[in-house]
Amino acid sequence: MTFQAYLDNIEKQTGVSPDDFIKRAKAKGFTKPGTKATAITDWLKAEYELGHGHAMAIVKLLKDRGGLT
């Protein structure tokens, strides 16, 4: 499965676009330096019922486009 396919499946499942996930993560402070992937995946699993692989795809999205370092 390609990375884009992961993002497409996540949007289909949650109704939240990749850009909206970036905005929501920034609003929650998840793109601040030192933020651990576990904090982000825990949020995504609890709030959006994502599995670990899909949650990690959002972490990668945040690293690639959202300013997470």
Side-chain angles (χ1 to χ4, degrees):
M1 181 179 289
T2 66
F3 181 65
Q4 185 59 51
Y6 264 91
L7 296 179
D8 292 344
N9 284 337
I10 293 166
E11 185 170 3
K12 184 177 178 183
Q13 177 183 341
T14 64
V16 181
S17 73
D19 288 338
D20 284 336
F21 271 114
I22 292 170
K23 290 176 189 171
R24 292 175 187 198
K26 284 182 179 181
K28 290 191 169 280
F30 287 131
T31 57
K32 291 181 181 176
T35 301
K36 302 290 185 192
T38 302
I40 299 168
T41 57
D42 287 350
W43 162 60
L44 294 167
K45 290 174 182 180
E47 194 162 324
Y48 300 99
E49 298 181 357
L50 292 180
H52 187 74
H54 286 96
M56 287 303 296
I58 298 298
V59 171
K60 179 178 177 0
L61 174 73
L62 294 173
K63 286 183 177 181
D64 292 350
R65 297 185 9 208
L68 180 64
T69 55

